[in-house]
Amino acid sequence: MNKKKEKINLVYVKWADAFHQEPCKWNGWEQITEFFNDSDFQVETVGWIIKENKEYILISPMKSLHNNSFGHIQKIPKGIII
C-alpha cells in the first residue's frame, strides 16, 4: 500500500442500492407493479472518500491510525448517489 499521506475527506453518503424480492416466487402483474414502484431501499454510509473519478467514489468506514490503511472499502457508482 502507498504510505504517502493523501488528503481524504470524511463524508456522509445516501445512495439507492439494488435489491431483489423476498421470497423468490412467481408473481402476477399486480405484485410486479408493486415491487417495481417500491423505492424504499436506500443506504446511508459514513466514511472517508479514498479516491473518486467522474463515475465512482471509493469509500471506507474504517481507517487505521498506524499505517494509513483502510478496511471495508466500497465502490459506489455516482449515478446511484442521492
Side-chain angles (χ1 to χ4, degrees):
M1 168 162 267
N2 188 351
K3 299 280 184 183
K4 181 176 102 173
K5 292 261 186 182
E6 296 184 25
K7 181 175 175 10
I8 57 172
N9 295 311
L10 183 62
V11 297
Y12 162 85
V13 179
K14 185 175 182 179
W15 50 286
D17 199 3
F19 62 104
H20 64 87
Q21 185 184 40
E22 286 286 339
C24 184
K25 62 181 181 175
W26 290 97
N27 294 279
W29 283 109
E30 184 177 328
Q31 292 87 7
I32 291 169
T33 301
E34 183 179 313
F35 180 67
F36 181 78
N37 292 328
D38 183 4
S39 61
D40 290 337
F41 201 80
Q42 297 177 353
V43 179
E44 297 174 303
T45 301
V46 176
W48 287 269
I49 293 185
I50 303 166
K51 294 202 176 285
E52 72 177 297
N53 61 24
K54 65 182 181 176
E55 297 178 41
Y56 298 98
I57 65 168
L58 209 59
I59 189 169
S60 170
M62 299 172 65
K63 179 171 113 28
S64 170
L65 296 175
H66 302 288
N67 63 4
N68 198 35
S69 61
F70 301 88
H72 298 281
I73 297 170
Q74 289 181 290
K75 184 177 181 180
I76 303 173
K78 287 186 172 180
I80 64 172
I81 294 175
I82 300 167

